[in-house]
Amino acid sequence: MTARGLSLKGPRGWVYRDVDLSLAEGGLAVVSGEAGTGRTCLLLTLAGRMRPGSGEITVAGKATPTAIQRVAALGETGGVNDLDDALTVAEHVFERRHLRAGFLPRRPARRDEEVAAALAPVGLALDPGTPTGDLGPRDRQLLGAALALMGRPRLLVLDDIDRGMRGDHQREMWESLRALTARAGVTIVASCVDATPASDLADLEVVL
């Protein structure tokens, strides 16, 4: 993925401005900044969900938002694709699989196997019947990542990765993402407030 001079201006001024980045396949990038610095909008731009005001971006050889959307996926992103607290882990997995494949397995044992298979790439093991609202911040983020990976994207974009997490849990989260780039062969861009826990794990940091 490469981006040059990405900028977006809104009614109240610059949302983000003059962002350059270059990330090899299987790389891990951090976008850090306080709330209101344009982190989410930049991530949506990188994933092809928002068009920049100026600048260029290429993801896996794709250079238009529509084409980038085919190779990029979003984890849970507030106001864009929130997880439903009332649904169980299994219901989220099969809702996503139903949208992609058009069927739901009927046997409980088969359902449990498919949930385990969907969660395995992110190293997550959860009771399929657990309500999403009962998950802690780390498990919720990883569930969102697992659902996104079901579409086999080349780029995975994760927002607010440190939300609600203590410092040691933030470090564990970044270690999980670093391992995921190798295990799933996916490029990851994740945003946070404090990039310190990822300092020796990420290939690139963009500070907003």
Side-chain angles (χ1 to χ4, degrees):
M1 177 175 65
T2 60
R4 295 288 180 268
L6 288 183
S7 300
L8 179 64
K9 194 171 187 178
R12 299 182 180 180
W14 293 104
V15 180
Y16 57 80
R17 188 176 186 183
D18 295 331
V19 176
D20 297 334
L21 60 88
S22 180
L23 191 63
E25 184 175 4
L28 173 63
V30 182
V31 176
S32 64
E34 297 292 335
T37 55
R39 290 177 298 150
T40 299
C41 290
L42 177 58
L43 263 59
L44 291 174
T45 301
L46 298 178
R49 272 66 175 181
M50 183 176 287
R51 189 180 296 273
S54 60
E56 300 177 348
I57 178 172
T58 302
V59 178
K62 313 298 182 184
T64 66
T66 300
I68 291 172
Q69 286 182 37
R70 299 191 186 104
V71 296
L74 295 172
E76 183 178 22
T77 306
V80 179
N81 63 335
D82 300 276
L83 298 179
D84 188 335
D85 287 349
L87 294 182
T88 66
V89 172
E91 287 169 337
H92 270 299
V93 169
F94 291 118
E95 180 182 64
R96 186 66 58 95
R97 190 172 298 282
H98 176 68
L99 291 174
R100 293 182 61 243
F103 70 90
L104 297 173
R106 297 181 178 180
R107 292 182 297 165
R110 179 61 175 166
R111 289 198 296 267
D112 290 353
E113 289 174 5
E114 292 204 21
V115 171
L119 301 183
V122 299
L124 196 57
L126 296 173
D127 183 331
T130 303
T132 302
D134 289 350
L135 298 179
R138 172 187 172 276
D139 288 351
R140 188 183 184 101
Q141 282 281 5
L142 290 177
L143 174 59
L147 295 174
L149 288 174
M150 290 174 68
R152 298 186 178 182
R154 303 281 297 278
L155 171 66
L156 173 62
V157 175
L158 303 171
D159 196 21
D160 264 345
I161 206 69
D162 55 354
R163 182 180 56 213
M165 293 188 198
R166 303 195 314 259
D168 55 339
H169 288 177
Q170 291 176 31
R171 175 68 181 186
E172 291 173 3
M173 186 69 198
W174 288 111
E175 289 173 344
S176 296
L177 296 184
R178 178 77 273 180
L180 180 59
T181 60
R183 186 165 56 243
V186 65
T187 303
I188 297 178
V189 179
S191 76
C192 62
V193 174
D194 179 13
T196 303
S199 60
D200 60 340
L201 296 169
D203 301 300
L204 172 70
E205 181 183 354
V206 176
V207 181
L208 297 179

